[in-house]
Amino acid sequence: AQSVTQLDSQVPVFEEAPVELRCNYSSSVSVYLFWYVQYPNQGLQLLLKYLSGSTLVKGINGFEAEFNKSQTSFHLRKPSVHISDTAEYFCAVSDWDQGAQKLVFGQGTRLTINP
Amino acid sequence: DVKVTQSSRYLVKRTGEKVFLECVQDMDHENMFWYRQDPGLGLRLIYFSYDVKMKEKGDIPEGYSVSREKKERFSLILESASTNQTSMYLCASSLGGTGSDTQYFGPGTRLTVL
């Protein structure tokens, strides 16, 4: 079974600074990877996903992530954050169970932007 | 846009009560999921369904059951609520058929069991 580790539970940064949120997954022959964001008092929404091809994936709101097969990592980055990026971020890997796709989530990283 | 709705945003119940959480999606998705979200633990899968009347256990099914009588509706049932089931419950749906599907989430139900 797949597993995901998010290495930081909380990341505080100043506004307009760059940020990296780290994610490692267990190895597999082929893998689909996702980053979701949860704004306060809301459900999760997709930021970006890696399926195949280019290892640099661009998502919404200026975020991007790099798939690194040798390091089994899928770190999320943004060059300049805004107050509105304050949220919890979840990395997830796709797994198959009983004939259906399911997602295995990491523990989450709470990103706090300070003015 | 896909819309996933959940019947309540906040719910307070007593220990031992039977609790129903309802989820409806409007995009004819095959797959539906129930998760619970707890601080530091991320999202954990309770049950999922890939077809009407079909259900599969997730990682933490104990104390829960589900029902899917219609394609668009997936219900989570707590037969006898306990305080350790106080949590945020999230429903999601996906098109189905491939591992690359995006899951679409509802806004969540914050359940408190007293």
Side-chain angles (χ1 to χ4, degrees):
Chain A
Q2 298 278 7
S3 66
V4 175
T5 302
Q6 291 182 242
L7 296 158
D8 306 293
S9 59
Q10 296 189 60
V11 173
V13 296
F14 288 106
E15 195 172 15
E16 298 183 10
V19 70
E20 179 180 81
L21 306 184
R22 298 180 293 167
C23 172
N24 285 94
Y25 62 94
S26 55
S27 61
S28 178
V29 175
S30 64
V31 62
Y32 301 125
L33 292 156
F34 303 76
W35 276 100
Y36 282 82
V37 60
Q38 185 180 34
Y39 297 107
N41 298 315
Q42 294 185 28
L44 278 69
Q45 60 180 273
L46 182 71
L47 264 182
L48 49 82
K49 61 183 177 182
Y50 171 77
L51 306 180
S52 64
S54 172
T55 57
L56 186 63
V57 182
K58 293 192 183 295
I60 61 171
N61 301 339
F63 282 92
E64 62 184 31
E66 183 147 22
F67 170 64
N68 188 320
K69 188 173 182 179
S70 62
Q71 308 227 352
T72 61
S73 67
F74 190 54
H75 301 333
L76 181 71
R77 302 186 183 103
K78 187 169 183 179
S80 175
V81 295
H82 302 285
I83 292 283
S84 59
D85 293 322
T86 295
E88 190 151 22
Y89 293 78
F90 293 93
C91 182
V93 63
S94 184
D95 200 2
W96 282 96
D97 188 354
Q98 310 284 349
Q101 174 231 12
K102 68 175 192 179
L103 291 179
V104 177
F105 286 88
Q107 302 89 333
T109 297
R110 187 168 297 277
L111 177 63
T112 305
I113 313 299
N114 298 306
Chain B
D1 273 358
V2 176
K3 190 155 187 182
V4 179
T5 56
Q6 296 184 229
S7 50
S8 306
R9 292 300 303 272
Y10 300 93
L11 211 51
V12 180
K13 295 292 181 181
R14 298 277 179 195
T15 301
E17 278 193 82
K18 190 168 187 175
V19 181
F20 292 87
L21 303 183
E22 303 284 335
C23 175
V24 178
Q25 50 94 3
D26 67 354
M27 282 300 290
D28 204 35
H29 282 175
E30 301 290 333
N31 297 346
M32 295 188 76
F33 307 84
W34 274 108
Y35 296 91
R36 67 175 280 174
Q37 180 182 7
D38 299 288
L41 297 177
L43 276 72
R44 293 178 291 167
L45 183 63
I46 304 171
Y47 268 96
F48 63 99
S49 168
Y50 54 85
D51 201 354
V52 176
K53 296 193 186 293
M54 303 299 289
K55 59 184 178 184
E56 296 295 341
K57 292 179 180 179
D59 301 315
I60 52 163
E62 296 78 20
Y64 303 94
S65 62
V66 291
S67 172
R68 195 170 180 198
E69 296 296 318
K70 293 186 177 181
K71 191 175 188 179
E72 68 271 19
R73 189 179 298 269
F74 192 36
S75 303
L76 180 69
I77 303 152
L78 287 66
E79 295 289 342
S80 177
S82 64
T83 54
N84 62 13
Q85 292 178 309
T86 291
S87 187
M88 171 71 91
Y89 290 87
L90 292 165
C91 175
S93 70
S94 68
L95 187 61
T98 75
S100 60
D101 288 343
T102 296
Q103 287 190 16
Y104 296 87
F105 285 81
T109 296
R110 187 167 293 281
L111 173 67
T112 302
V113 183
L114 302 176

